Amino acid sequence: MSTPGSAVAGVPHLDVDPFDMKFFADPYPTHELLRETGPVVCLDKWKVFGVARYAEVHAVLNDPVTFCSSRGVGLSDFKKETPWRPPSLILEADPPEHTRTRAVLSTVLSPTVMKGLRDRFAAAAEARVDALLEQRSFDAIADLAEAYPLSIFPDALGLKPEGREHLIPYASLVFNAFGPPNELRKEAIARSAPHQAYVTDQCQRDNLTPGGIGACIHAHVDKGAITATEAPLLVRSLLSAGLDTTVNGIGAAVYCMVRFPDQWQRLRGDLTLARNAFEEAVRFESPVQTFFRTTTREVELSGATIGEGEKVLMFLAAANRDPRRWDKPDSYDITRRTSGHVGYGSGIHMCVGQLVARLEGETMLSALARRVASIEITGEPKRRFNNTLRGLDSLPVTITPA
Ligand code: OVV
């Protein structure tokens, strides 16, 4: 026997719920418990295996044949349950199917495409910061972390102006749906119909403006790379994964800067650190906290036997602070060598939009550092609860001009 719930596999059991509000409020003591209990643990509450150390998270991410994605990367096993929406053709796919769709998204989000976006993103970041300098006091989540990506990403995709208010609620739904059937997931799915209707409609070729990233995906149908049925679902992936993630990434970066003013001053002194400062915020806060995989066979992982068809929960955030891998893991250090962090995953599924995320993060931190002397918290930060995403609901701040 190797199922979670059995002691025979020699895997220690924990009764922590990593999708509980008390856990979300302060996950760090539980991350440490998960790491220190063993390389692989059983989480009895949801009957899944868990890995929280860097080595095992990295190993699972880099063995996609044994730890597959096509049975879903949330708790639900698509072999046993009907998915809440048609599966993603990239996230919830394995090679060989994954390889073709990944190549298309990789092309439309390439370094060449970033070249064409950079000046627009930088100008929008500076315009946003200028507007905030007029206000002086504002909410760094709504007015900065959300407002900035909303001012550039939907236009880059080529979405029409109407209905964009559905984008963040839709993404929030997608990331809640990876979790267990708790209140967060059930409520999100219960209210999902209008958001799903909007997204399905916007993914159609006729609704995407020429020259945008969405239209570029559809253009790959003409090249024979994907079918006309597949294209809208690939656009859907960008609507699902491209906005709320960067909102929480930029929110994390600003939250780091207000908590660690020495790092903020260091950034102001050297703007070339902006890109790594963002990367370190992704490591430090891990906006995407977890993903699951499903085993395709019985497998031994660091001495633990895991049976076929088991869900394995990867704690990306815990791996990103594993003292076995990182010096001073709980310090936010903008000069740290961040490469190897798993905030974007690792291996064949590693974030295909990472260059867009980094471009947004870098341009915003750079604009802030150039124009702002100090950022101070002026009220209690409020947390936003989601089964997968970590971030704030509000962060009241006051800034002073440089
Ligand atoms: C990485 C990610 C998150 C959420 C949704 C998707 C991908 C998707 O492909 O739909």
Side-chain angles (χ1 to χ4, degrees):
M1 280 287 283
S2 57
T3 54
S6 161
V8 183
V11 177
H13 290 239
L14 286 174
D15 73 352
V16 301
D17 180 2
F19 299 98
D20 172 275
M21 302 307 136
K22 291 192 292 287
F23 169 80
F24 294 145
D26 182 14
Y28 301 109
T30 308
H31 284 160
E32 183 175 2
L33 176 67
L34 287 160
R35 282 191 306 258
E36 298 313 314
T37 298
V40 181
V41 300
C42 282
L43 299 173
D44 295 341
K45 168 90 187 182
W46 301 111
K47 301 199 183 339
V48 298
F49 290 89
V51 289
R53 295 182 188 174
Y54 182 87
E56 283 72 26
V57 168
H58 190 270
V60 170
L61 285 168
N62 285 281
D63 184 358
V65 174
T66 307
F67 301 96
C68 80
S69 290
S70 58
R71 289 168 74 167
V73 297
L75 177 64
S76 174
D77 183 351
F78 293 177
K79 201 165 167 176
K80 299 175 183 161
E81 290 181 292
T82 306
W84 70 275
R85 62 171 193 169
S88 163
L89 299 181
I90 180 164
L91 179 76
E92 294 154 339
D94 298 321
E97 292 82 6
H98 168 266
T99 313
R100 192 168 43 85
T101 52
R102 169 91 188 186
V104 169
L105 289 192
S106 199
T107 302
V108 304
L109 302 170
S110 69
T112 314
V113 176
M114 296 309 109
K115 262 195 170 170
L117 294 176
R118 175 172 276 273
D119 289 350
R120 259 181 287 157
F121 280 25
E126 288 176 7
R128 184 90 294 267
V129 174
D130 285 341
L132 295 173
L133 278 166
E134 295 288 308
Q135 290 181 240
R136 289 291 181 98
S137 294
F138 57 90
D139 178 1
I141 303 305
D143 304 330
L144 194 166
E146 293 185 347
Y148 173 53
L150 277 170
S151 77
I152 48 174
F153 187 68
D155 287 336
L157 276 179
L159 299 179
K160 66 166 193 250
E162 298 77 29
R164 292 179 178 192
E165 67 279 3
H166 289 288
L167 289 168
I168 289 177
Y170 180 76
S172 165
L173 152 73
V174 168
F175 284 96
N176 270 324
F178 294 129
N182 57 12
E183 284 307 304
L184 278 173
R185 184 180 200 270
K186 287 187 279 192
E187 283 274 297
I189 293 177
R191 297 167 198 280
S192 68
H195 311 312
Q196 290 207 69
Y198 164 79
V199 164
T200 304
D201 203 41
Q202 297 324 295
C203 291
Q204 297 304 310
R205 194 168 195 168
D206 287 349
N207 292 327
L208 293 159
T209 56
I213 293 170
C216 289
I217 293 173
H218 282 279
H220 280 78
V221 174
D222 313 332
K223 299 170 194 162
I226 48 171
T227 68
T229 324
E230 291 172 322
L233 274 175
L234 289 177
V235 177
R236 193 194 68 177
S237 284
L238 302 195
L239 296 189
S240 301
L243 189 67
D244 213 2
T245 48
T246 62
V247 165
N248 284 291
I250 292 166
V254 175
Y255 192 33
C256 284
M257 292 305 169
V258 300
R259 282 175 296 171
F260 311 113
D262 57 320
Q263 298 301 305
W264 166 246
Q265 291 308 334
R266 234 169 145 186
L267 172 62
R268 288 189 65 221
D270 181 0
L271 296 177
T272 68
L273 292 171
R275 203 167 167 94
N276 202 57
F278 180 71
E279 205 65 17
E280 171 69 345
V282 174
R283 181 200 69 86
F284 187 81
E285 285 292 334
S286 300
V288 177
Q289 292 268 293
T290 51
F291 269 126
F292 291 85
R293 292 291 188 261
T294 313
T295 55
T296 57
R297 60 171 175 92
E298 184 176 286
V299 56
E300 194 180 305
L301 179 63
S302 303
T305 304
I306 306 177
E308 185 276 334
E310 299 291 350
K311 283 285 174 175
V312 179
L313 178 55
M314 304 178 293
F315 289 89
L316 306 174
N320 277 341
R321 290 180 179 223
D322 183 354
R324 295 163 190 78
R325 169 64 179 77
W326 307 97
D327 293 332
K328 299 204 183 108
D330 299 322
S331 296
Y332 177 72
D333 174 1
I334 67 170
T335 61
R336 179 194 295 278
R337 285 208 259 150
T338 54
S339 64
H341 80 76
V342 290
Y344 292 110
S346 176
I348 66 165
H349 287 281
M350 189 176 177
C351 181
V352 76
Q354 58 184 280
L355 297 180
V356 186
R358 292 198 185 106
L359 185 59
E360 289 183 24
E362 180 196 345
T363 50
M364 176 46 76
L365 283 181
S366 174
L368 281 170
R370 206 170 304 125
R371 287 163 143 76
V372 175
S374 72
I375 317 177
E376 258 138 56
I377 305 194
T378 53
E380 198 61 38
K382 270 183 58 194
R383 186 150 296 284
R384 187 174 284 179
F385 295 101
N386 184 281
N387 279 331
T388 306
L389 296 172
R390 176 170 179 78
L392 298 176
D393 206 39
S394 67
L395 177 60
V397 299
T398 297
I399 56 176
T400 53

